[in-house]
Amino acid sequence: MNKLGTAMAVCAESSPLLRPLQKTGRYRETLVEQQIQSLLSCTAVEFRRRLRVKDRSADDYLREETLVYFLRERQHAGDTHAAGEIARLLVERSAGFLARNLTCWRQLAPHQVEDCLRDAQMRMIQDLFSEDAQCEFWEVRFWLCLKRRLLNCVARYNRTADNEIHPEPPPESAGAPGDWWETRLSDAAPTPHECAELGEALSLLSERERQVFVLYHAERWTQQEIAQQLQITDRTVRNILGRAEARLQQWRQTGVP
Amino acid sequence: MRQINEDERDALFAAWMEDRESAVPAPLGEWVERYPDCAGELISWAADAPVLNAAERRSPDAEAEQKAIASGLQTLARFLQPLDSLLGEARARGRSPKALAEEINISPTLLARLQQRLIAAGSIPDTLVAGLSSALGRSTSVIREYLARPAMLAQSASYKSDRVPQAASQESFLHAVLSAPDLTETQRQYWLDQGHAP
């Protein structure tokens, strides 16, 4: 089975009581199906009790995918109030994740971080309330859908921030392998400190610089391969790489981007 | 080549993340070769991964989380708030009626008829409701609730009559599509195809 197939075929069989997913061959996780099943037959009081469980490790803690299912069920049944309550819970649960994942993009100005947060939340809310089959994956992998929406928003704002950067001329050594970076990028199990350092360093780069830098140093693509894939010239690849390396070098030496 | 849609991109992202966390992840080049339509995204995901990994290891920031909750709840409240006017909401979002009409692929005349609720709500296709929901940042149920209210008079109209003015009677969406003078033929055909299955 290919990789895409593995991610879709999460559970072997769906219960006939549940609203099936619209995409053929895709299933919810077993735990999510079990949770939905149990909630379909429980009382309103029990349902509310389970919504209030906040301990993620508790057996009766409801998974986000389960909540999305019931949000859409309530919305479909015209019970906007209940759907809103579930959405409220999902907003609260996702806030920490969004805040943590946004503050690491050091290239973004504080007002851009706020705008980006609002955009990502709006996108999430729109998708959660959508009956469109294109928003179905939220019921299969909530956190990954949220992460992708967030990355899309960050990319958009990063491009705006990129336009505000005035790059310096690249040094002649552009493209020379940098031991420090290659060691960390290729390390399968970096220490938390190394991981944080690497993430922080790469977040200082523009979107294009980060792409070229990672493709060259982590994925070991040649400059010609990068140029071909990104549809730019070899010389531009060299320039971008040189600029990225110079900025990271400066950051390592002075702590200033 | 068939365009990959948002749902498939989500599935691809899940598969990609799953693979990256495996003991022997496939090289990026293989993914790009298998999904050339998504090459740009795959490259971005690979480039952003170290930043996201670092973010996930950060300790939680209670203050930033509280701010994010407040921002999200505000956005949600607005999303679910009843709607007073389609065009008013569009203007509040910096869009002219013409821009909104273009965004949802209808003509300004048809949009004006939706605004005045001169089209029977039950005949309006789900795709149009979804388009309005997306463009105006409001839930589909809020949009449907607006469209289901009684027809209203044009705000700019003035009347001289002994009788209380009444709004024109509602027509079906299909009829409105057929009679709209400023729909392009492509738009007309698209909505005629959509219109039979609200």
Side-chain angles (χ1 to χ4, degrees), chain B residues 10-107:
Chain B
D10 280 332
L12 178 63
F13 184 57
W16 157 264
M17 294 296 284
E18 192 178 282
D19 179 56
R20 285 274 139 165
E21 284 161 14
S22 69
V24 191
L28 175 64
E30 263 182 39
W31 282 89
V32 169
E33 207 172 300
R34 200 180 306 159
Y35 302 102
D37 280 0
C38 297
E41 271 154 315
L42 286 162
I43 289 170
S44 286
W45 297 339
D48 293 344
V51 184
L52 290 180
N53 287 342
E56 275 164 22
R57 286 162 199 248
R58 279 183 169 216
S59 45
D61 178 343
E63 195 189 337
E65 184 171 343
Q66 282 310 313
K67 274 189 186 171
I69 291 176
S71 154
L73 293 181
Q74 199 178 18
T75 306
L76 177 64
R78 185 160 174 72
F79 183 76
L80 297 173
Q81 204 176 24
L83 196 57
D84 293 328
S85 157
L86 296 177
L87 301 185
E89 187 62 28
R91 282 193 200 98
R93 295 177 154 264
R95 285 189 186 86
S96 65
K98 188 167 177 274
L100 175 62
E102 273 172 18
E103 191 172 342
I104 57 174
N105 194 29
I106 62 174
S107 68

Side-chain angles (χ1 to χ4, degrees), chain A residues 2-8 23 26 75 80 83-85 87-89 91-93 95-106 114 117-118 121-123 125-127 129-138 141 143-145 147-152 154-155 158-159 185 190-192 195-200 202-203 207 210-212 214-215 219 221 229-230, chain B residues 2 4-22 24-36 39-41 43-61 64-80 93 126 130 132-142 144:
Chain A
N2 68 22
K3 304 278 183 185
L4 192 59
T6 316
M8 287 177 174
K23 180 99 180 176
R26 178 186 292 170
Q75 158 88 352
T80 313
E85 282 298 301
R88 193 184 158 90
L89 186 57
V91 165
E92 288 171 354
R93 282 194 188 182
F97 172 88
L98 290 171
R100 211 172 37 245
N101 277 282
L102 268 171
T103 45
C104 64
W105 296 98
R106 293 190 48 190
E114 279 177 28
L117 171 67
R118 253 195 306 274
Q121 287 174 321
M122 178 47 119
R123 191 62 218 267
I125 291 167
Q126 281 185 328
D127 282 1
F129 279 87
S130 172
E131 293 158 17
D132 193 329
Q134 292 210 23
C135 298
E136 187 174 69
F137 212 72
W138 287 89
R141 291 275 194 275
W143 293 106
L144 287 178
C145 287
K147 190 181 264 192
R148 196 172 80 79
R149 300 304 179 282
L150 181 69
L151 282 177
N152 287 346
V154 167
N158 262 335
R159 270 171 226 139
L185 280 165
T191 66
C195 189
E197 202 174 22
L198 183 64
E200 188 180 0
L202 293 179
S203 74
E207 188 185 18
R210 191 166 45 254
Q211 287 176 355
V212 170
V214 169
L215 288 178
E219 301 294 333
W221 286 18
Q229 194 61 54
L230 299 182
Chain B
R2 189 179 69 86
I4 184 164
N5 65 32
E6 278 298 289
D7 181 67
E8 289 164 336
R9 276 175 215 275
D10 280 332
L12 178 63
F13 184 57
W16 157 264
M17 294 296 284
E18 192 178 282
D19 179 56
R20 285 274 139 165
E21 284 161 14
S22 69
V24 191
L28 175 64
E30 263 182 39
W31 282 89
V32 169
E33 207 172 300
R34 200 180 306 159
Y35 302 102
E41 271 154 315
I43 289 170
S44 286
W45 297 339
D48 293 344
V51 184
L52 290 180
N53 287 342
E56 275 164 22
R57 286 162 199 248
R58 279 183 169 216
S59 45
D61 178 343
E65 184 171 343
Q66 282 310 313
K67 274 189 186 171
I69 291 176
S71 154
L73 293 181
Q74 199 178 18
T75 306
L76 177 64
R78 185 160 174 72
F79 183 76
L80 297 173
R93 295 177 154 264
D126 287 345
L132 279 165
S133 160
S134 171
L136 300 178
R138 295 303 189 89
S139 78
T140 49
S141 57
V142 166
R144 281 204 188 94

